[in-house]
Amino acid sequence: MNFSPAPLHIPDGFLTIVVSAIFWLITIVMVGLAVSKTNRSLGEKQIPIMGVMAAFIFAAQMLNFPIAGGTSGHFLGGTLAAIVLGPWAGILVMTAVVGIQALLFQDGGLLVMGANIFNMGILTAVIGYGLYRLVIHQKKGIRLAVAGGGAWIATMAAALFASLELWLSGTTRLEIVLPAMLGVHALIGLGEALITVAALAYIEQTRPDLLNLDNSAREGGWGWIVSGVVISLLAVLISPLASGNPDGLEKIASDLGFLGSGLDAPFQILPDYSIPFLGDTAISTILAGAVGAIVLIGLVVLLGRNLHRQKSD
Amino acid sequence: MHVDVFDQYHFTPSRVHDLDPRVKVLITVLFILSNALLPDGSWPAFALAWLLLLVANDQSGLGLGFTFKRSVVALPFTLVAVSAIFSPQGSPLAVWDLGFITLIPTDLGLIRFFSIVVRSWLSVQIAILLVATTQFPDLLHALEHLRLPRTLTTIIAFLFRYLFVLTNEVFRILRAREARSAGLPGVKGGGKLSWQIKTTGSMVGQLFLRSYERSDRIYQSMISRGYIGHIRTLNPHYMERQDWLYLFVFILFLVIIQFVGWVS
């Protein structure tokens, strides 16, 4: 049995009730919207399809592939689902996947499921679909490249939010958990991006009718593009800032009344010990993050072109 | 592959198995909530909660250690909480100089860490007990009664049903790859990384197409059998006196646990 728990599934007990409740609230609103949208715009036919697609995502997570350094790429699938099925259906499919992983395999908790659905279902759909929607009428190479970039950013954003949730709950120290989570997920996200691109290229080649672009464009409007771009930019900017300068975030969080308002001992991160391999100034780390993102997108563009060329041969 | 690999349901005739699924879902959620509400370091209350769990284990007829054996699934994640040990609050217990970083474990940090681990460990066990004593369709039906949108429960029902079918599909695809990947002894097989990625991507794409086409056929056959947009059950749920009694007694115990936790 190849099923292995992924580090993004937060179990019960790791988040405080306040943090769990906040993310449940966001998740309930988004999933409720998704349910009413799909009920209104799609027929009953869509429900069995979404169910089987959810089973597909679950089964596809078993197709591991090795990346350098002994890690293996673990496919999450949120971006692929949102691009192929549309954003609302993508959210519902990922909600079902996260829900059944928690219910059946205890991979992720019940009380914290709102946060898990948000990280792995909603964020990935908003980022993955939003960015893809931006270039939906462009050439195939560009679309594939953006889909790959979106998948990578979505994975990083999920890791970022999981770290922030854990930190707000006083479970971890931000300056330790954030670099670790982002480091691991930079690799996992790479696998995610490459598989998403390769799978999309395959589907475009064999059943282009399934990726009905006009249909998909009608379903998600400018709202998706704007929120997708804004959230990805936020994620790209916050990650280096937060890992280089956790005190700033700490101050924001305590101003908002998070730290110290809960039942648990508030955390204060001492400036005495810091990790030297992190950047010195916020500017340099943001730059580093941006350069990394550009390099990655360039790589994915090259790969997309390459696959495209092989197709047309 | 057989259904048993995924299905976590274990049948033995017992009072817990006979309880209304709604009661079991409520009890599970309340138990996890109660653990989350307990303050750090309230060991007597955590011990009482564990005792309650043991009683539930015993009542389920699955054996006292049943959930304990399977609770290791939550262990890897405790790694994330390790940094809580070095909370700057509380008095330092030691100083570990590792060269590039100085770690100072504190008493409050240790208490925080072990409280998180115990909470998570208790919560995972009750969830294991829930799925071990409730058939999955009953569980979904209970969630529907508890006002989960029907669209969502139906999607999850399909997911559960086709999980097994599509997993078989995955094994067929993997077997096909094996069959086409002949190797010489002593020669390293497999192409370059880009080739591997392309193969994996094609496998995912192929799986997607097979799933999609299968879901189309499923829908056609469901329509011809009278599907009207949701799944009906032959297993209606009625709350009986015993169900109410169990719910009441369990909540009473949780109130006592909370009392012990906050007073001590």
Side-chain angles (χ1 to χ4, degrees):
Chain A
M1 169 82 239
N2 304 330
F3 188 81
S4 63
L8 277 180
H9 295 75
I10 304 172
D12 277 318
F14 282 74
L15 298 185
T16 54
I17 290 191
V18 183
V19 175
S20 313
I22 289 171
F23 281 94
W24 259 122
L25 205 69
I26 302 173
T27 299
I28 287 171
V29 169
M30 289 299 286
V31 172
L33 267 177
V35 166
S36 73
K37 288 268 180 192
T38 42
N39 279 348
R40 208 178 317 138
S41 67
L42 311 165
E44 56 182 28
K45 178 176 196 278
Q46 212 67 19
I47 289 179
I49 290 181
M50 284 195 281
V52 177
M53 283 301 114
F56 154 72
I57 297 286
F58 198 100
Q61 295 190 344
M62 293 176 186
L63 296 169
N64 291 6
F65 82 106
I67 343 175
T71 30
S72 70
H74 180 56
F75 187 60
L76 297 170
T79 306
L80 185 65
I83 288 175
V84 178
L85 302 172
W88 294 115
I91 287 179
L92 285 184
V93 162
M94 289 311 286
T95 303
V97 170
V98 174
I100 210 163
Q101 283 171 340
L103 275 176
L104 212 53
F105 302 103
Q106 288 78 48
D107 193 13
L110 301 179
L111 201 64
V112 301
M113 203 200 284
N116 282 333
I117 292 173
F118 178 82
N119 298 345
M120 285 178 281
I122 296 172
L123 270 182
T124 49
V126 171
I127 293 177
Y129 181 79
L131 294 182
Y132 185 75
R133 174 71 182 77
L134 188 65
V135 294
I136 204 161
H137 297 302
Q138 303 293 323
K139 270 187 298 190
K140 183 181 170 186
I142 298 175
R143 264 187 291 129
L144 288 182
V146 171
W152 187 76
I153 296 176
T155 312
M156 292 299 274
L160 171 70
F161 268 84
S163 316
L164 290 178
E165 287 151 12
L166 288 166
W167 165 68
L168 282 176
S169 304
T171 302
T172 50
R173 307 274 305 279
L174 195 62
E175 79 254 40
I176 295 175
V177 74
L178 197 61
M181 285 286 267
L182 290 183
V184 169
H185 284 88
L187 267 184
I188 293 180
L190 202 59
E192 176 84 8
L194 295 171
I195 295 183
T196 303
V197 170
L200 270 177
Y202 181 85
I203 295 169
E204 280 221 31
Q205 187 194 7
T206 42
R207 286 284 303 270
D209 56 306
L210 291 185
L211 292 173
N212 194 332
L213 301 177
D214 291 330
N215 239 345
S216 180
R218 226 184 308 128
E219 200 189 319
W222 280 95
W224 286 97
I225 300 182
V226 172
S227 36
V229 169
V230 167
I231 295 182
S232 351
L233 276 180
L234 268 179
V236 168
L237 292 181
I238 288 181
S239 319
L241 243 184
S243 42
N245 179 18
D247 302 328
L249 261 189
E250 164 113 340
K251 187 175 178 310
I252 295 171
S254 64
D255 285 351
L256 288 174
F258 264 107
L259 300 178
S261 72
L263 303 165
D264 311 292
F267 270 69
Q268 277 170 3
I269 294 163
L270 282 188
D272 294 356
Y273 35 101
S274 62
I275 303 175
F277 55 77
L278 294 174
D280 297 312
T281 64
I283 301 292
S284 75
T285 42
I286 288 180
L287 272 180
V291 168
I294 290 169
V295 168
L296 179 93
I297 290 173
L299 278 177
V300 179
V301 168
L302 280 179
L303 182 86
R305 285 249 176 89
N306 196 14
L307 287 173
H308 189 53
R309 203 170 331 116
Q310 284 175 355
K311 289 298 116 61
S312 44
D313 283 350
Chain B
M1 179 196 251
H2 199 260
V3 169
D4 288 358
V5 179
F6 283 121
D7 204 352
Q8 312 288 337
Y9 179 68
H10 291 253
F11 181 73
T12 43
S14 87
R15 262 166 276 178
V16 177
H17 286 75
D18 287 343
L19 277 182
D20 189 295
R22 282 167 291 181
V23 172
K24 283 187 269 190
V25 170
L26 270 180
I27 282 179
T28 305
V29 171
L30 287 176
F31 185 74
I32 296 173
L33 193 67
S34 152
N35 291 333
L37 278 173
L38 284 176
D40 283 353
S42 47
W43 310 121
F46 284 136
L48 274 181
W50 187 44
L51 202 66
L52 187 58
L53 194 70
L54 284 181
V55 171
N57 259 316
D58 186 48
Q59 291 274 302
S60 74
L62 295 169
L64 274 179
F66 176 76
T67 58
F68 179 75
K69 265 179 273 167
R70 289 195 34 215
S71 63
V72 285
V73 287
L75 271 184
F77 208 88
T78 51
L79 203 64
V80 167
V82 166
S83 67
I85 294 176
F86 311 109
S87 156
Q89 300 241 316
S91 42
L93 298 175
V95 176
W96 297 332
D97 197 349
L98 301 181
F100 62 96
I101 188 171
T102 307
L103 296 173
I104 305 171
T106 60
D107 51 354
L108 277 183
L110 269 181
I111 289 174
R112 174 92 187 119
F113 171 71
F114 282 111
S115 303
I116 290 169
V117 171
V118 166
R119 269 192 206 110
S120 137
W121 179 70
L122 289 172
S123 305
V124 142
Q125 291 196 55
I126 192 106
I128 291 170
L129 193 63
L130 172 71
V131 290
T133 60
T134 317
Q135 279 179 331
F136 200 73
D138 280 342
L139 190 60
L140 277 184
H141 192 202
L143 290 176
E144 209 167 279
H145 275 300
L146 296 169
R147 298 280 173 270
L148 209 69
R150 182 168 268 174
T151 311
L152 208 53
T153 51
T154 314
I155 292 176
I156 296 178
F158 274 102
L159 164 56
F160 182 71
R161 175 63 187 84
Y162 285 96
L163 201 55
F164 312 114
V165 180
L166 293 190
T167 307
N168 275 332
E169 201 79 70
V170 168
F171 284 122
R172 273 196 288 277
I173 291 174
L174 286 173
R175 201 184 309 135
R177 182 179 69 177
E178 292 289 306
R180 284 160 182 76
S181 310
L184 291 170
V187 179
K188 196 171 170 291
K192 274 183 291 188
L193 186 64
S194 63
W195 179 80
Q196 283 185 355
I197 290 164
K198 194 165 164 282
T199 309
T200 313
S202 300
M203 283 159 74
V204 173
Q206 177 63 240
L207 180 67
F208 171 80
L209 292 184
R210 289 188 193 180
S211 316
Y212 194 89
E213 280 157 11
R214 187 187 283 270
S215 76
D216 223 33
R217 291 198 299 277
I218 291 166
Y219 178 68
Q220 301 300 338
S221 57
M222 285 172 68
I223 287 288
S224 58
R225 285 164 180 79
Y227 175 65
I228 52 163
H230 61 88
I231 296 172
R232 278 172 282 194
T233 174
L234 292 172
N235 229 0
H237 298 153
Y238 298 107
M239 290 287 278
E240 283 163 19
R241 194 140 53 102
Q242 203 194 11
D243 296 321
W244 288 111
L245 189 71
Y246 263 83
L247 187 61
F248 175 75
V249 169
F250 199 88
I251 291 176
L252 195 69
F253 271 113
L254 288 185
V255 170
I256 294 172
I257 289 173
Q258 286 297 319
F259 184 75
V260 170
W262 284 95
V263 165
S264 64

